[in-house]
Every structure is written in structure tokens, then in C-alpha cells.
Amino acid sequence: MSDETRVQLSGGERTVNVPAEVPLLPLRDTVLFPNSFMPLAVARESSVKLIDDSIAGDKVIGVVTQKDPTHEEPGQADLHAIGTLTHIHKMFKLPDGSLRLIVQGLTRIHIDKVISTKPYLRAEVREAPEVVNEADALELDALQRNVRTTFQQVVQLSPVLSEDLATLAANISEPGRVADFIASSLGTIGSAAKQHLLDLVDVRARLAELHRVLAKELEVLELGSKIQSEVQSEVGKGQREYLLREQLKAIHKELGDTDDAAKEIEELRAKIDAAGMPEDVKKEAVRELDRLSKMPAAAAEYTVARTYIDWLIALPWSKRTEEVIDLPKTKAVLDADHSGLDRVKDRILEYLAVRKLKPDVKGPILCFVGPPGVGKTSLAKSIATSVGRKFVRVSLGGMRDEAEIRGHRRTYIGALPGQIIQGLRRAESRNPVFILDEIDKLGSDFRGDPASALLEVLDPEQNNTFRDHYLDVPFDLSEVLFITTANVLDTIPAPLRDRMEVLELVGYTEEEKRRIARDHLVGRQIANHGLTADQISFTDDAIGAIVRGYTREAGVRNLEREIGSICRKVARRAAEGTLTAAVVVTPQVVEEMLGAPRHLEEEMKGRTRDPGVAIGLAWTPVGGDVLFIEASRMAGAHQLTLTGSLGDVMKESARIALSWFRAHAQQYGVDPQFYKDAEIHLHVPSGAIPKDGPSAGVTMVTALASALSGRPVRGDIAMTGEITLSGRVLPVGGIKEKVLAARRHGINEVILPRQNQKSVNEDLTEEMKRGLIVHYVDEMDEVLQRALLAAPVAVKADDDRRQRLSLA
Ligand SMILES: Nc1ncnc2c1ncn2[C@@H]1O[C@H](COP(=O)(O)OP(=O)(O)OP(=O)(O)O)[C@@H](O)[C@H]1O
Ligand SMILES: [Mg+2]
């Protein structure tokens, strides 16, 4: 307790010199009593000036309450006649220029005459001394006791007054001061009543009036508590809350807290009401808001609580878009956005049809699997448009932390909800189409397993009460239409895969790519570059040339990019003003703009010119690829060296290949003892990419046979197949991707295991098969017969042809 406070409470005499003239600070809605301390907020320009001047001087001013709080520039008529001589104890300047003061009332003064109003009020004043009639001593004593006991009762019942106040009041002996102290402590009585008490210089009258006020206050409080105990209904609670809140407001106001804070709280309350939250969530939000309303805005925790409430308010608890499943229309949208993909589109339509017939059925989660750029993401987006749902996308690639899915607990500094809740906030709807991209690239480590959090998200049985760590209240995800995408299936954790219905999108054929380019990509790129169809057009041949000479992908992303770079060049000319006539993009123009194309056939032949290199086909996440397997023999000791990041299965394939060829060497004119003093080296480029699987068996044997016999391998045929020790060729997977990869590389002839014939017939479309020569084989011998050229030859075009014919 500071010295000054003690002065006040001890009631010790302190003579006050009242100057004849003082600066006068008008108060809007507060009354300051002598001997009490009070915080004041000062914002009026004139008042700020007044304080500035007084602080520099003797810090003594007059304080008086306005009759009408809204008056901006009060004159004498607008002020009460009795005010308080006041000492300014402390002053803080706020950044907005307003001031906070701590003042102490000294004594009552009478405002005689306002002598100036600019720059602020000055007035002639004189002390308004207390009138104590000695004859009333007995009555005064009785009144004072009554006031004290009633005040004590008020304090006990009041939810806002501290019990200490009663003790403090009991320690003041002078009757006038007791009255002033109690009057200034009462938060609820309003400034008119307070001013009235200030006006009463007659102590007896003041005590009598105060007693009346206290008695009334007590009555209200008793009634309030009676109502509370009687009516325990929701209404009662609401009223009590309302009452308390009003009181709290009054206190805030009394303390000079800015109204802004209170207004903010009220705004938040209204928003909570409007957010459509479920009951228990709302309860949580209101609880947090109540906590917030008691915190000073500067506290660090305030921001935390505020952010949390903002999140609760922002989530689409009951906002949803109306889903219209109109199958013909949906089909039209899907067709308009994407060429081909008929099987996938059919499956999507079936899926939506079931949803239409049985809206409450918990359908499977769709998973689009396929190489990059085949339209997985954009297909999902068009599903959203076609059924009138919002669309959000979250990439799971590289996510290792469970908290990224499910959020951090609020106790973390800077905690936020996870991606699922963030996505929903962005969607502003509780039933969006929600894409979880790259679900195959989820990681996991010591920070927890995001896959297990996703399990909960995707499980229709439990996702109606999905609990984000940050929100800590359940959110219903059951109306969200989740679609996941992946390049490969096998890295998706099995329990997740189980919950999804897989739709495969393999790569496109050249024909399909041309169609996609013609119908979609060209138009889009022209528009994206600010051009019009009058300025630039692409011939079919040009598109074909781009597909063949500049891209080698399963999807169409690079194709779109190359078309884009041609558009960019034309756009530049248009911007420079050098575009005189419309540009018709022909294959020649393509070559001028994109540089020389890659001639694939030549490249393939070049790499296989020397014996020892065979072209295999591999299944990869980007949709299949060709694989050059190289073998060579050097002097050494009975050793097989394998390089190229091969997995165990692939290494075993290599051993089998070597063993089989050793057993059959003679047939190919190779000394069966070749291995005795030789080291055999098998290498699979690109060395840094890990590879595995048995399907390179036939290619390895072919490369070995070629290296050892000196017969080169054909550069226009590719192969795949597993082998056994006895030389049988077994079926392998990924035929469709492999065939597409071969054709992308300009190879139209393939050797496949006979048992894969069925998958060729069923999985490959007519278009994929057009112009394709497939040799089905059962035995390794057949492979070598097809693939090896006769003898070391100087390959001239004609010779090559003849060789091939004789072998076929
Ligand atoms: N069948 C198609 N018809 C029209 N446009 C297509 C088709 N397939 C792909 N596209 C276009 O190709 C581009 C790439 O597609 P998208 O981004 O959907 O690929 P993705 O399969 O999601 O690839 P990633 O696995 O790399 O994410 C998009 O602009 C898309 O519109
Ligand atoms: Mg994608």
C-alpha cells in the first residue's frame, strides 16, 4: 500500500489549500469523491492539454461531472455546482494520444464561476466545507453504524464488490469520509446518484441519503439472489448472466477501460451466436469468450484465446452448399473438362448415382492412382464443380508430423489446427470435395504417424466426431467428399488403402494426347497468354510433333508446358508489335521455336549399336519407362558384378540370368567355360534410382547373351518378363504402362510373356494396340531368337531390315 493510500484510510487530518482559481476537468459520467483514488481516461483534446499543463505545474486541478455526458464542450451551465479538488498522482500516455490518470480527490469545491473555456476550462472555486452539526452527534453515530452494516450486507451479496471494502470502511472513523468512501466504492448506483451524494455537504443528510441508497441496493440484491435460488431454469441463468455482464460493463466503464474491448467481446458473442455451432461447441466458445473478457487486451494469452475463438467462429459448422447430383449434367461437365478417361468417368458417375439414391450411405473414398499429369487433380476438381460443391486441396507429400493433419495442442506456442480443419475453413462449407493429394508420399517418424490420423479422417464410422488437437471439440467430417490421389499404390499404408476405392488412370497414347491438346490445352494456353485464336493456331501435325519430339511423359503436363512456351514467344511478338499476321504453328514453326526435336528411333538404335545392351521395360511411378540393361565381360576371376542400385529381387534375377546362360552358352556359340577367367558386369542405368523386381530377367539374359556372343541386340524392340532357372518366361505386372512407355520411346515391337496375353487383350484399348507388334514367348530361347541380330554387323539401314526379316 502506498503512502498516499494510508493517508486516506487513517483519516488523519491533512489540510488542503484550495486555490482561488483552478483548471477544471469535466468528467462525462464519473464522480470523484474526496479522499478516494480513481483511474481516469482522458481523450478530449482540451482535457489532454489541461493535464499536460497541470502535470508541469502543481498537479492540482478541479474535477467536475457534466450534467449531460454527451456534451463535447460544456460551459458553466452544463456542469454540476459541486466538484472535487484533485491531485494527479500518475499519468500514462497511450499511443493514440489519450491519457490514463490516477487521481486522488482532496476536498469538495464549489464552482463559482467559469472564467475561460479555451484552451480548457478555468474556474474560480472555493472550498465547500462539510457541515457537521454537533447537536446531531448521536444521530450521526447511529446513521454511520447503519450505513456500515448495510454496506457489509451489500458487499456480501454483491458478486462484484470485494469483501475487503467492508473492512476498509470499518476502519474509517470520520462519518463524512465513511460516506464518501462507500459512495465511491458502489459500482452500480450510477453517476446521478453519486453526484447527489457529492452535493450533500451536510454530513447527516449525506449519511441518510447513502443509507437509503444502500437499503435499495440491498433489496435489489436480495431479490436477485432470491430469484436465482428459486428459478434454476435456463432463463434464470441467462438473466443472471445478463445482470452480471451489465455490472461487469459498468465496472469496466468505471475503471476507464476502453469501450472498444467490451464492444469487441460483444461482437465476438454475436458471431458465436451466428456461427451455427453445435451446442457443446458453442458452450466451449462462450466459456473461452468469458475468459477472454476478463483478460487485459495486452496479455499474451489474450491473443491465444482470441485466435482460438476466431477459429471456432470461422469454421463452417452448419454452412454447406446444396448438392445437386444431376447425372447427365455431371457427365457433361466431366466430358467438357476432360477428354477420354471413359472408364474412370463411368466409375465416378456410378459412385455419384449411388450417392443420389442413398444420400446417407457412407460411400468409399475414391483414390485416383496414376502417373503425373494424367489429370487426377483436375478430375477431382471437376467432380466438385459438377455436383456444386466447394473444392479444397491439401498436399500430403512429405508430411511426417501427425500434427500437420490434426493440429497442435493449444498449449504450444503458435499452435494452429491441422490441414484438415484449415482446409474446411478455406472451403467455407462443411461438404466440400476435399482432395488429399499425394497420399502415397506420406512419411512418418518420431513425431507421430500422420497416416493413423488420416485413418480417422477417412473412416466413415468415426469421422463424424473428428477431433483436431487445436480445436479440441469434435467436427463432423461425414459430409465431406474425400478424394485421394497417388502415383503408386504400394507405398500407401495398407489400412488406408483398404478404405479407398482405387481408380487407375494410366498414361495417354499419342492419339489421346493430341486430342487432349486440341480440345483443351491449346485453347487454355492461348487464353493464359493473353492471345486469341485469331492470332495463333496449331496444326494437328504440329501437336503431333511436340508430343513425339519434345515430350516423353505418360501425362500431358510437359505437352501443355511446351505449347505454353510457343504461345509465350508469340505473345512477346504481339506485345512488341512485331506480330503482323496470324501465326499458324506447323512442325517447322515448332522446330524454330523449341529447337531441334529428339529423334527417338535413332537414339534407341545408337545406344544398342554395340553388343551387350538390351532394352527392357519397367513399371515406374511416372507411368512406365524403358530401361537399358548393359552387360560386359572382362578378364577376371569368376565374378558377377552388379551395379545400378538394384534391389535384392533384381540381383537374384541377374544370378538366374547368368546361370541360365552358362547352361545354354554352347547354343549361342559361346564357350561354356567363359566364366572361368572372366568377370561379368551387369549395369542398369540410371544408377542413382533404386530399382527392384523380377521383370528385368529376360532383358538381363539378352544383354548377357549379346555381350558374350558379340551379337548386338535390336534397337527397335523392347522386352519384359521374369525368368526361371530352366528358362521359362513368367508373366509380369504393369503391362499397360510398359507398352505405353515403349511407344512413347518410338518402339512399336515388344516381347512379352505369353501369360500376359490376356492383360494385353483386356487392358489395352484398341488405340493402344494400333500398329503394335507383340511377340508372346514361353521360353528364353524364343526371346533371344527375336532380339539378337545375327552377327556383329555394320548396321546400315538396309542390312538392318534384312537381318530383322530373317529373324522374325
Ligand atoms: N484427359 C484430360 N483432358 C483434359 N485435360 C487433361 C486431361 N488429363 C490431364 N489434363 C490436364 O493436364 C494437366 C495436369 O493434370 P493434373 O494436374 O490433374 O495432373 P495429376 O494427375 O494430378 O498429376 P500429379 O500426379 O503430378 O499431381 C491439367 O491442366 C489437366 O487439366
Ligand atoms: Mg495432382
Side-chain angles (χ1 to χ4, degrees), residues 13-205:
E13 281 313 305
R14 187 167 122 168
T15 45
V16 179
N17 292 323
V18 178
E21 191 191 313
V22 286
L24 199 56
L25 178 70
L27 300 183
R28 286 183 199 277
D29 207 16
T30 339
V31 178
L32 176 61
F33 284 88
N35 296 304
S36 62
F37 283 84
M38 196 166 78
L40 278 183
V42 171
R44 272 187 265 201
E45 205 177 309
S46 56
S47 302
V48 170
K49 172 95 175 91
L50 182 156
I51 300 297
D52 275 343
D53 289 355
S54 309
I55 279 289
D58 59 3
K59 303 185 183 163
V60 171
I61 59 173
V63 159
V64 65
T65 307
Q66 292 176 208
K67 290 178 182 165
D68 174 0
T70 58
H71 225 304
E72 277 304 319
E73 288 178 11
Q76 181 154 15
D78 308 311
L79 300 171
H80 286 289
I82 299 283
T84 311
L85 190 71
T86 302
H87 177 245
I88 306 172
H89 262 277
K90 282 216 166 64
M91 181 195 80
F92 315 92
K93 264 203 163 66
L94 296 193
D96 64 356
S98 72
L99 305 177
R100 292 287 179 279
L101 308 177
I102 297 195
V103 296
Q104 180 191 15
L106 299 173
T107 185
R108 281 180 173 71
I109 47 176
H110 198 278
I111 319 292
D112 280 344
K113 186 167 167 233
V114 170
I115 49 178
S116 67
T117 55
K118 298 276 170 209
Y120 43 78
L121 292 168
R122 287 189 73 83
E124 281 174 7
V125 297
R126 69 192 144 83
E127 182 158 21
E130 290 193 330
V131 179
V132 185
N133 202 333
E134 289 305 325
D136 296 337
L138 222 58
E139 198 188 341
L140 268 184
D141 198 29
L143 269 174
Q144 191 180 345
R145 279 189 212 174
N146 277 354
V147 162
R148 280 213 184 100
T149 25
T150 321
F151 182 57
Q152 196 165 12
Q153 288 167 311
V154 167
V155 163
Q156 268 167 9
L157 278 182
S158 161
V160 289
L161 295 178
S162 155
E163 304 238 342
D164 294 343
L165 290 174
T167 322
L168 291 175
N171 281 326
I172 307 173
S173 51
E174 218 183 311
R177 283 201 181 181
V178 174
D180 286 350
F181 175 76
I182 293 178
S184 88
S185 313
L186 287 175
T188 45
I189 64 174
S191 56
K194 283 189 174 176
Q195 180 67 43
H196 185 45
L197 287 167
L198 188 70
D199 287 342
L200 293 170
V201 288
D202 183 334
V203 175
R204 197 192 61 82

Side-chain angles (χ1 to χ4, degrees), residues 152-393:
Q152 196 165 12
Q153 288 167 311
V154 167
V155 163
Q156 268 167 9
L157 278 182
S158 161
V160 289
L161 295 178
S162 155
E163 304 238 342
D164 294 343
L165 290 174
T167 322
L168 291 175
N171 281 326
I172 307 173
S173 51
E174 218 183 311
R177 283 201 181 181
V178 174
D180 286 350
F181 175 76
I182 293 178
S184 88
S185 313
L186 287 175
T188 45
I189 64 174
S191 56
K194 283 189 174 176
Q195 180 67 43
H196 185 45
L197 287 167
L198 188 70
D199 287 342
L200 293 170
V201 288
D202 183 334
V203 175
R204 197 192 61 82
R206 194 188 305 162
L207 279 171
E209 171 62 15
L210 181 61
H211 188 240
R212 203 184 59 74
V213 170
L214 282 172
K216 193 173 142 224
E217 189 70 14
L218 187 61
E219 210 173 318
V220 171
L221 285 169
E222 276 172 348
L223 195 65
S225 69
K226 196 167 143 228
I227 294 174
Q228 259 173 49
S229 59
E230 274 176 13
V231 191
Q232 283 293 345
S233 69
E234 283 300 308
V235 189
K237 252 193 234 160
Q239 263 175 358
R240 181 183 129 83
E241 258 181 48
Y242 175 77
L243 200 76
L244 290 179
R245 208 163 286 127
E246 287 303 303
Q247 285 170 346
L248 202 65
K249 249 195 236 166
I251 292 170
H252 280 307
K253 207 155 148 199
E254 195 73 2
L255 290 176
D257 283 0
T258 46
D259 275 355
D260 292 356
K263 210 190 282 167
E264 186 178 327
I265 300 286
E266 285 322 305
E267 276 171 17
L268 286 175
R269 197 178 301 280
K271 283 186 187 163
I272 290 175
D273 282 338
M277 303 172 183
E279 240 358 272
D280 42 346
V281 175
K282 187 169 171 185
K283 219 183 278 168
E284 180 66 30
V286 169
R287 219 179 54 147
E288 194 69 17
L289 186 67
D290 287 342
R291 238 164 55 80
L292 187 75
S293 65
K294 292 183 202 108
M295 286 182 215
E301 237 204 303
Y302 185 92
T303 328
V304 176
R306 171 75 214 243
T307 314
Y308 178 66
I309 294 172
D310 283 342
W311 269 101
L312 288 181
I313 290 172
L315 288 180
W317 297 100
S318 48
K319 264 191 267 175
R320 54 166 72 75
T321 52
E322 173 117 28
E323 186 176 49
V324 236
I325 303 185
D326 171 353
L327 291 178
K329 188 186 144 229
T330 308
K331 182 162 170 27
V333 173
L334 293 182
D335 283 340
D337 291 351
H338 296 89
S339 317
L341 296 175
D342 293 335
R343 243 189 265 184
V344 178
K345 285 181 192 163
D346 279 346
R347 183 61 194 92
I348 293 170
L349 290 172
E350 288 164 17
Y351 174 85
L352 293 173
V354 174
R355 285 190 70 92
K356 185 182 166 95
L357 293 182
K358 250 183 141 294
D360 53 332
V361 74
K362 305 203 154 98
I365 311 289
L366 294 180
C367 176
F368 296 159
V369 178
V374 292
K376 300 182 295 295
T377 308
S378 71
L379 199 56
K381 213 185 260 178
S382 79
I383 294 180
T385 347
S386 70
V387 297
R389 290 185 183 227
K390 292 277 179 64
F391 172 82
V392 262
R393 175 181 166 275

